[in-house]
Amino acid sequence: MKTKLFALLSAVVMVIPFVRPSGTQALNFTLKDTIHSESAILINLDCDTIIHEKNADTKQMPGPLVNIMTAVVCIEECSDLKAEVTIDEEVYSSLYNTEYYDDLRFADIYDGDVLSYMDLLYAMMLTSSVEASQTIAYNIGGESVSTFVDKMNEKAEEIGLYSTHFTNPTGMYDVNQYTTARDMAVLTEYALTVPNFDKICSAYSYNPSVPNLENHPDHNDWVWYHSNSMMDSESDYYYPGVRGVKTGNLEIGGRNIVSLASKDGHNYLLVAMKSPLSDEDGDVTFYHLEDAKYLLNWAFNHFSYQVILADKTEIRELPVALADTNSGYVLAKPKEEVTMLWYDEIDTSLISRDNITWYKTDLQAPVKKGELLGEVTLEYSGEPLATVELVAVSDVERSWTKYNLYAAQMFTKSNWFKKAIVISCVLCVLYILICIYSYVMFRNKSKPIKPKYAVPKVESSKSQKKKK
């Protein structure tokens, strides 16, 4: 666990500064050979990157893989995992009537045994015990398995399992119970953050904490072993570094596996679903384990962290107006080096750097070395890998002659210049009108006034005669 945490932190330190987080990244490189499982997904946990997937969104029957969700709900809902439960066979005896009896898995848990919830979780995760899963659901659900299943579906919706639906906590066949390889990967990554889950699902064996001497006289012999034989050093499918998580077989749904694996500081999560139960000759096969080994070997042998874009790489020239040089451009390079998980059989030169967004379409001097110019999105086969900012390689000084000419040209094109012209024209018209008015007034005032002379009134001759 310490090794995994150290590797995870190291990867985060290397990758996070250079790549914008956008959820789980998908590279999906092509395998050389075909795997038998109908659906599969392989994720590097250190950088949360999918390096291969096959029909990852095809709905499949999960079988006992649902025990992962059963464990999550139990741990989160139970306030005391050390609390003891008395086994009541009536809680799970109805499962015996299924037509797919061979799908049932037992852990030698008998009616009247007393086990803690922690014991039941180990029994369920290691052996797919239906006694354990049904008992957990019945008790945590308030003596209602259906209530517990509702909690499973609520949790599925909460963490984003959009193609998953649960109908029972055991994994028994039900046409309405389905999931996908991708959803199982999301669920497992979430479960690994739940206290005690990693410890439980990674155990190779477990001896119950509560002795039940009446049904199990030799308590030390009452041991449960993990069904993932890749953890068994004596198995033909043994794979060093593999831990848990869950296997699950269904007569109709085939063989499924969810597993973790660590090697040389790299950590992977593998999901393989619906591999055939037998080969073409009808012989029993374990293709899910063969597929798991093949995928893990491929990952550990061919993937490593590589520099896919050096910080001194000159990406492109960007024109710079008003520059005090004959060239009139500035070179752009990555702000930081980009390092990421990469497949060693594909040359990093095939990664496209053509998707560039400049922050300014018209760049003007001065430009300072290290100034942000834009960003480039690295792509492979049309899929985005990472986005990194671009900065100026060197300073670009401003030419004052060019700047003054530019300022003069721009002034005549500016709105202020246009407004000034309009205002000037208006003022000129007003001035002319005022001048005309003043002139007219002046002329009116300067005209000479004809003098009016007093003429004595002369009476007419007729009037004079009357007076006489």
Side-chain angles (χ1 to χ4, degrees):
M1 183 64 184
K2 290 182 178 179
T3 302
K4 176 183 175 182
L5 289 174
F6 177 79
L8 180 59
L9 291 173
S10 299
V12 167
V13 169
M14 289 190 293
V15 178
I16 283 182
F18 318 131
V19 184
R20 293 182 179 178
S22 57
T24 302
Q25 189 178 27
L27 300 179
N28 200 28
F29 293 102
T30 304
L31 299 173
K32 290 184 176 180
D33 299 320
T34 302
I35 59 175
H36 298 87
S37 299
E38 187 173 294
S39 297
I41 191 167
L42 182 61
I43 303 175
N44 183 289
L45 293 175
D46 305 316
C47 55
D48 201 18
T49 299
I50 300 170
I51 63 172
H52 181 73
E53 60 180 81
K54 174 186 177 183
N55 301 323
D57 297 307
T58 300
K59 290 181 179 179
Q60 306 287 9
M61 299 178 188
L65 296 189
V66 303
N67 293 160
I68 299 173
M69 180 60 86
T70 305
V72 167
V73 175
C74 175
I75 295 172
E76 292 185 341
E77 293 287 327
C78 183
S79 59
D80 183 11
L81 294 178
K82 294 182 179 180
E84 296 179 353
V85 179
T86 300
I87 303 301
D88 183 355
E89 189 174 9
E90 291 185 4
V91 170
Y92 53 85
S93 59
S94 60
L95 301 177
Y96 300 157
N97 300 324
T98 177
E99 60 179 307
Y100 303 107
Y101 187 83
D102 289 341
D103 289 342
L104 294 173
R105 296 291 180 270
F106 300 98
D108 295 329
I109 298 175
Y110 303 126
D111 187 51
D113 282 345
V114 176
L115 295 170
S116 67
Y117 282 108
M118 185 68 79
D119 293 335
L120 292 172
L121 286 168
Y122 273 101
M124 177 181 68
M125 292 302 297
L126 271 59
T127 73
S128 302
S129 163
V130 293
E131 313 106 314
S133 56
Q134 194 78 349
T135 298
I136 287 173
Y138 178 80
N139 285 276
I140 298 297
E143 300 186 352
S144 171
V145 173
S146 62
T147 297
F148 186 88
V149 173
D150 289 341
K151 293 180 181 294
M152 294 171 67
N153 285 311
E154 289 170 5
K155 177 58 67 172
E157 182 178 359
E158 177 188 325
I159 63 178
L161 309 186
Y162 302 118
S163 299
T164 296
H165 183 257
F166 298 110
T167 59
N168 64 67
T170 62
M172 292 298 294
Y173 167 73
D174 188 315
V175 68
N176 293 315
Q177 181 154 263
Y178 53 82
T179 189
T180 66
R182 192 183 311 280
D183 277 5
M184 278 294 103
V186 173
L187 171 58
T188 303
E189 286 195 83
Y190 174 81
L192 291 171
T193 67
V194 176
N196 294 305
F197 179 85
D198 195 350
K199 177 183 177 182
I200 295 169
C201 76
S202 299
Y204 171 66
S205 63
Y206 183 78
N207 180 223
S209 62
V210 182
N212 287 268
L213 301 180
E214 183 175 346
N215 293 323
H216 310 276
D218 192 342
H219 177 69
N220 292 329
D221 288 340
W222 191 22
V223 179
W224 303 317
Y225 294 93
H226 207 297
S227 58
N228 185 356
S229 57
M230 296 179 73
M231 301 170 65
D232 184 357
S233 60
E234 297 182 1
S235 169
D236 293 335
Y237 297 100
Y238 175 65
Y239 197 96
V242 162
R243 306 186 349 263
V245 171
K246 197 80 192 72
T247 64
N249 306 330
L250 285 181
E251 186 177 326
I252 294 179
R255 302 189 193 278
N256 303 327
I257 185 172
V258 176
S259 188
L260 300 169
S262 301
K263 181 180 179 182
D264 298 332
H266 296 281
N267 302 279
Y268 285 92
L269 169 62
L270 165 73
V271 180
M273 301 187 72
K274 201 178 182 180
S275 71
L277 297 174
S278 57
D279 59 19
E280 296 177 353
D281 298 326
D283 296 329
V284 174
T285 58
F286 299 95
Y287 286 135
H288 64 315
L289 300 178
E290 293 180 14
D291 290 345
K293 290 187 68 173
Y294 172 76
L295 287 168
L296 292 175
N297 278 328
W298 176 71
F300 287 127
N301 294 334
H302 293 286
F303 284 83
S304 61
Y305 287 98
Q306 298 185 35
V307 175
I308 63 171
L309 186 62
D311 58 358
K312 295 183 179 180
T313 304
E314 296 177 349
I315 300 296
R316 191 171 295 181
E317 296 176 354
L318 183 62
V320 180
L322 313 180
D324 191 18
T325 60
N326 294 327
S327 57
Y329 67 85
V330 64
L331 288 169
K333 72 180 187 68
K335 181 179 180 182
E336 302 286 354
E337 187 174 83
V338 180
T339 302
M340 65 183 300
L341 194 71
W342 195 251
Y343 187 29
D344 63 7
E345 295 192 2
I346 295 181
D347 196 326
T348 56
S349 64
L350 297 176
I351 298 174
S352 171
R353 306 167 184 170
D354 296 330
N355 188 355
I356 298 177
T357 301
W358 299 112
Y359 294 154
K360 294 181 180 179
T361 54
D362 297 317
L363 186 64
Q364 294 183 359
V367 177
K368 296 299 181 182
K369 180 179 180 180
E371 180 178 333
L372 292 177
L373 302 177
E375 59 186 27
V376 58
T377 298
L378 305 178
E379 298 178 341
Y380 175 71
S381 296
E383 294 296 326
L385 301 178
T387 298
V388 61
E389 289 187 308
L390 300 175
V391 298
V393 172
S394 59
D395 292 335
V396 178
E397 299 297 333
R398 173 185 288 172
S399 168
W400 287 105
T401 301
K402 293 179 181 179
Y403 177 74
N404 291 331
L405 290 173
Y406 168 78
Q409 293 173 356
M410 292 305 296
F411 178 73
T412 60
K413 298 178 182 179
S414 68
N415 290 330
W416 284 110
F417 179 76
K418 294 177 182 177
K419 291 177 181 178
I421 293 296
V422 172
I423 294 172
S424 298
C425 291
V426 171
L427 292 175
C428 286
V429 170
L430 289 174
Y431 177 74
I432 293 172
L433 292 174
I434 291 171
C435 288
I436 293 173
Y437 175 79
S438 299
Y439 175 74
V440 171
M441 293 301 296
F442 175 77
R443 287 201 57 183
N444 289 337
K445 290 181 179 180
S446 63
K447 284 182 179 181
I449 300 175
K450 293 180 179 180
K452 294 182 180 180
Y453 298 100
V455 179
K457 186 177 179 180
V458 179
E459 295 182 353
S460 66
S461 57
K462 290 181 178 181
S463 300
Q464 291 177 355
K465 288 181 178 179
K466 287 181 179 180
K467 289 181 177 180
K468 291 179 178 182

